[in-house]
Amino acid sequence: MAPYHGIINSLYLGAEIPDADPDAYPSLGASYANGDNDNNRNDENGVDFIPLSLAHATYTARATVNNTTGSTATVHAWIDWDQNGEFEQDEYTSAPVANNTTGTVDLI
């Protein structure tokens, strides 16, 4: 079985509540996350990658979040910077998401 996730209408990434994905749906290209957009819902738009520049000493990814659970949540993220196929401790970041947040958090 491929990766999948449950649906919690009060906690999700992206601009709209995600649809159910009972199994993985590969994308047509490596740079897309559209493998399950067969119902014309773009629910794979939760993280924006800001263009990388040599002028910056750090990198920021911006996550669109929705949290109405009644509690603070946390977004966890990894980027495989050295492209060795492993998520290592120095490639990890997280950000708190306060209750009643509908907006963005920066993952630095």
Side-chain angles (χ1 to χ4, degrees), residues 19-102:
D19 59 355
D21 295 328
D23 204 349
Y25 297 99
S27 296
L28 296 176
S31 63
Y32 303 107
N34 62 0
D36 74 338
N37 283 355
D38 54 2
N39 59 1
N40 294 317
R41 291 192 61 224
N42 186 16
D43 63 328
E44 289 81 25
N45 60 350
V47 180
D48 291 317
F49 293 97
I50 298 166
L52 186 60
S53 167
L54 294 176
H56 298 104
T58 61
Y59 182 75
T60 301
R62 185 158 291 137
T64 300
V65 296
N66 292 274
N67 178 14
T68 57
T69 62
S71 301
T72 298
T74 304
V75 175
H76 300 273
W78 289 262
I79 296 177
D80 187 12
W81 290 113
D82 58 10
Q83 298 178 10
N84 68 352
E86 297 180 19
F87 292 128
E88 298 165 320
Q89 185 174 356
D90 64 343
E91 299 171 327
Y92 167 80
T93 190
S94 65
V97 181
N99 182 45
N100 291 323
T101 296
T102 300

